[in-house]
Amino acid sequence: MKVCIIGAGPSGLATARRLLEAGIRDVVILERQSTVGGNWTWADASGHSSIYDTVRSISSRDMTAFEGVPFSSTVGIYPTRTDMLLYLQRFPARFDLERLIRFNTHVVSIVPSPEKGWRVETEGNPPEYFDAVCICSGHHWKPLYPDLPGKFSGNIVHAHEYRDCSRFAGQRVLVIGCGNSGADIAVDLARHGCQVFLSLRRGYHIVPRFLFGMPSDVLYSRLRRVLPDRVLRPLAELLLTAYRHYVVGDKLPEPNHPLFATHPLVNSELLPCIRKAGVQVVGPIGNVRGAEICFGSFPNQRRRCGAAQSEFDTIIACTGYEVSHPFLEDSITGGSTDALVERLHLRLVHKTMKGLYFVGLLQPSGSLWPVADAQAKFVAAHLTGEVQPPTIEPAASDCRDRFVPSPRHILEVNGEDYERALLALVSARGGALQ
């Protein structure tokens, strides 16, 4: 069996490791960048990375690491971008993966082949044929820009282009969106003297990195072992609401959704920054006229937060990414993220295209790495004939109704539940999977 892996980021490396462990030796990893690391290769010239200088993992060290490969004890509880990249760069040597990787290799097309499995064409090289292809190329590289109601006369920058605050010194900056990147970038700008406004469409539950002296994700994971979600989630939501009110009062709108119905916003610095007016919260954009932007009020809120209008030099759009696989035809993907998800068993195995897998095409509530590793184990077991997708999808792999209905949450899953469901299937090893 010959298998092609697209991408030498976390998902691709995990997949290669598990394939080798399963006895699949003819493996090729095609990587468009000059080094391993995927999105964590901050300075790579290809422009693939969306990482900025101050970024840290939103999951703690122990909840991020791959099975059997802990971070060094010298790494902080929440690894920096450098820590994450060094970890990934050391990973191939640990599992003898270097010989499998072809760097600076741009994939042009992947199509089914009547002769043998899949035909993979790369730029400047003859096509190759594989029995199976694992797409591990990530989904945080093609910026999604907001559709502004009017023409803005200043600069519009996507978070994908943001590296540090130096180019925005002395400016009035509007940050659109309060995901983890939006919160980080707003705080970074405020710390360095910019006048920062943060435009929100809704309220958010903001999770501090530490609770009661413990990493918040570790604490929550431990509590889930003794308390059912129907009890734990309301308690956690009540605690976070009380903390938010204590720090910023009514300077933030109230969330209109339950805790974890959106992707977790993990940040310990945004609330203090709002309290000190380093970051001013405003509502959704209502109108744009040149440098002037008018803001609307929040739905179902008693009062308007922040200014009604103001002028800005720059907009930084922290508005997410489009899921894109330019080397695959629409007949394979369905032409949209929603259609592609519908075509996958377990968010992983293509239902009609034999030998095609999508590893890491998820937005888990915790770290992606252990989730992708569980997917890699399933792929290896599936390719060796030891396991098949169940006839009925586990609830953990089809849980879109649990999240706020928006394009951002099409890929969202509860990471721990999904990982556990996959590993249970793998451990069954061909048993009753109904």
Side-chain angles (χ1 to χ4, degrees):
M1 183 178 295
K2 187 176 182 181
V3 180
C4 179
I5 296 173
I6 310 300
S11 299
L13 296 177
T15 302
R17 170 195 180 183
R18 297 306 182 182
L19 293 182
L20 292 184
E21 288 178 349
I24 300 173
R25 300 296 174 186
D26 198 351
V27 178
V28 174
I29 306 174
L30 304 180
E31 172 54 55
R32 66 178 296 180
Q33 301 186 104
S34 58
T35 185
V36 302
N39 204 34
W40 293 97
T41 53
W42 185 58
D44 190 89
S46 71
H48 176 83
S49 173
S50 300
I51 295 300
Y52 41 93
D53 190 28
T54 58
V55 72
R56 284 188 293 165
S57 171
I58 64 167
S59 55
S60 61
R61 181 180 63 198
D62 294 342
M63 299 291 282
T64 300
F66 287 118
E67 181 183 30
V69 191
F71 278 90
S72 165
S73 59
T74 61
V75 171
I77 298 299
Y78 286 91
T80 66
R81 64 171 180 83
T82 304
D83 296 328
M84 300 286 271
L85 182 57
L86 288 176
Y87 178 98
L88 293 172
Q89 289 177 336
R90 292 169 181 157
F91 194 88
R94 175 80 175 263
F95 298 101
D96 191 27
L97 306 181
E98 301 106 318
R99 60 188 175 82
L100 310 178
I101 306 172
R102 300 179 192 170
F103 292 111
N104 301 308
T105 303
H106 178 61
V107 178
V108 176
S109 71
I110 300 174
V111 295
S113 168
E115 292 85 14
K116 180 184 179 183
W118 293 88
R119 180 182 186 270
V120 178
E121 184 178 347
T122 57
E123 196 171 78
N125 300 298
E128 292 183 77
Y129 295 86
F130 297 88
D131 298 289
V133 175
C134 301
I135 310 296
C136 308
S137 51
H139 52 91
H140 287 135
W141 62 271
K142 186 177 182 181
L144 178 63
Y145 285 89
D147 186 14
L148 297 177
K151 184 173 178 58
F152 181 60
S153 61
N155 298 316
I156 301 178
V157 177
H158 194 275
H160 177 75
E161 305 168 52
Y162 187 90
R163 292 296 177 263
D164 57 49
C165 62
S166 58
R167 63 188 282 197
F168 308 104
Q171 293 188 10
R172 289 174 64 86
V173 181
L174 176 65
V175 178
I176 303 176
C178 196
N180 287 286
S181 296
D184 283 350
I185 289 171
V187 169
D188 188 36
L189 291 167
R191 279 179 169 174
H192 292 87
C194 295
Q195 298 180 62
V196 185
F197 292 72
L198 181 61
S199 173
L200 309 181
R201 288 185 299 176
R202 63 171 70 95
Y204 289 81
H205 298 285
I206 301 176
V207 183
R209 292 182 182 272
F210 293 92
L211 287 168
F212 306 108
M214 186 181 297
S216 53
D217 57 351
V218 173
L219 176 62
Y220 194 80
S221 180
R222 290 181 181 179
L223 289 175
R224 286 193 78 198
R225 299 172 192 170
V226 296
L227 290 174
D229 268 1
R230 69 178 185 276
V231 174
L232 180 56
R233 287 198 181 199
L235 285 176
E237 185 175 322
L238 183 64
L239 175 64
L240 294 178
T241 300
Y243 175 71
R244 185 178 70 252
H245 285 170
Y246 171 75
V247 177
V248 300
D250 59 359
K251 292 183 179 180
L252 277 171
E254 296 293 327
N256 59 1
H257 56 271
L259 180 63
F260 299 137
T262 62
H263 191 67
L265 172 51
V266 182
N267 194 294
S268 294
E269 298 158 308
L270 179 62
L271 292 181
C273 206
I274 292 172
R275 179 177 185 173
K276 297 174 183 178
V279 173
Q280 299 184 51
V281 177
V282 293
I285 294 176
N287 193 23
V288 179
R289 294 189 298 268
E292 185 179 79
I293 298 179
C294 301
F295 302 102
S297 58
F298 296 106
N300 304 318
Q301 302 292 323
R302 295 180 180 178
R303 59 184 295 276
R304 180 192 297 272
C305 288
Q309 62 187 49
S310 192
E311 293 188 351
F312 297 94
D313 301 296
T314 297
I315 290 175
I316 299 180
C318 301
T319 46
Y321 296 84
E322 295 183 51
V323 176
S324 179
H325 301 98
F327 42 76
L328 293 176
E329 297 177 349
D330 285 353
S331 60
I332 297 174
T333 65
S336 71
T337 306
D338 221 4
L340 177 56
V341 170
E342 291 292 337
R343 294 177 181 217
L344 301 181
H345 287 299
L346 303 169
R347 304 288 189 102
L348 174 63
V349 183
H350 203 288
K351 293 178 180 178
T352 59
M353 299 289 183
K354 183 180 179 181
L356 183 62
Y357 306 89
F358 291 80
V359 180
L361 188 63
L362 296 166
Q363 191 72 34
S365 50
S367 173
L368 174 64
W369 295 13
V371 174
D373 193 38
Q375 289 186 307
K377 289 181 180 180
F378 188 94
V379 170
H382 188 250
L383 284 172
T384 54
E386 297 180 18
V387 68
Q388 295 295 324
T391 54
I392 300 175
E393 298 279 312
S397 67
D398 188 16
C399 51
R400 281 170 288 173
D401 59 337
R402 303 181 196 176
F403 301 99
V404 169
S406 71
R408 182 187 180 202
H409 294 100
I410 291 174
L411 300 179
E412 196 80 18
V413 296
N414 182 292
E416 282 193 350
D417 291 349
Y418 175 79
E419 179 185 351
R420 191 179 299 116
L422 272 188
L423 294 179
L425 292 172
V426 173
S427 65
R429 293 294 182 187
L433 301 178
Q434 304 301 317

